[in-house]
């Protein structure tokens, strides 16, 4: 998907975000796995900044001006910057104790993003990623059916927001878990990649 399209989609989605979005189970996974040392924490693709606000990140960036404007409105005391992740990371080698990113890295070249993140982590720093993966195919049918049924029961987002995400998602492609593990294994030896029920995976890596 083109960068301008991503920006436009998320500017529109920002205007539809509920005032107090509920934390997803994977957001809670991020909170539970923050490292003890976190003097400098970066969130990549912060959206309206809900997680950044709860964590107290040092920096939080997003490509979409609409998302950043909304994040600043909701938490004026925090630092939110409209920036592309590659430009931001290139200027900040060995800077962060923790870098986290939720539902964002599938928009960019995954291998290039991991290499850039790796450079910007301090030795001993931690990367936490939550993102979507491709679980299509007949062998996943039972698991997908269960996930669909439970997702319907848990549904809390406004209808217009769901529609906007659905339209954005129609142009997206995701890596399979196998591809994610291969790329992460090469870029970040020892990275732990785990699937979750709702089409997302978690990745945790500690930089030696
Ligand atoms: C699905 S939203 C997720 C937002 C938030 N993390 C959440 O979970 O609600 C993906 C976000 O990634 C941002 N994004 C996409 N490509 C980016 C890039 N190259 N650099 C920084 N942010 C990017 C989009 O603008 C969008 O706000």
């Amino acid at each position: 998907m083109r960068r301008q399209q991503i920006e436009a989609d998320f500017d529109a989605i920002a205007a539809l975000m509920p005032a107090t979005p509920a934390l997803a189970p994977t957001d809670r996974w991020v909170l539970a796995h923050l490292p003890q040392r976190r003097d400098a924490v970066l969130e990549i693709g912060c959206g309206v900044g809900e997680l950044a606000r709860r964590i107290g990140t040092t920096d939080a960036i997003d490509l979409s001006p609409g998302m950043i404007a909304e994040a600043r409105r909701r938490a004026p005391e925090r630092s939110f910057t409209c920036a592309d992740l590659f430009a931001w990371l290139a200027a900040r080698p060995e800077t962060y104790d923790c870098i986290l990113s939720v539902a964002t890295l599938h928009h960019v070249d995954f291998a290039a993003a991991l290499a850039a993140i790796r450079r910007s982590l301090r030795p001993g720093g931690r990367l936490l990623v939550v993102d979507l993966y491709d679980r299509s195919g007949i062998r996943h049918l039972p698991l997908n059916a269960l996930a669909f049924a439970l997702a319907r029961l848990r549904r809390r987002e406004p209808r217009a927001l769901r529609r906007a995400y659905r339209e954005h998602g129609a142009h997206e492609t995701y890596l399979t878990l196998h591809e994610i593990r291969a790329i992460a294994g090469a870029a970040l030896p020892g990275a732990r990649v785990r699937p979750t029920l709702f089409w997302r995976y978690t990745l945790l890596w500690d930089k030696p």
Side-chain angles (χ1 to χ4, degrees), residues 48-62:
V48 294
E50 199 57 29
L51 201 52
R53 192 177 58 75
R54 292 188 196 220
I55 291 171
T57 51
T58 327
D59 298 309
I61 63 167
D62 199 286

Side-chain angles (χ1 to χ4, degrees), residues 126-158:
R126 174 169 288 183
L127 169 63
L128 297 169
V129 174
V130 174
D131 209 344
L132 293 108
Y133 73 99
D134 180 348
R135 201 170 68 199
S136 55
I138 194 89
R139 74 194 171 93
H140 297 300
L141 207 59
L143 192 57
N144 285 336
L146 174 68
F148 270 120
L150 290 176
R152 277 187 82 86
L153 288 177
R154 298 161 73 231
R155 194 175 275 170
R156 275 171 299 196
E157 288 169 339

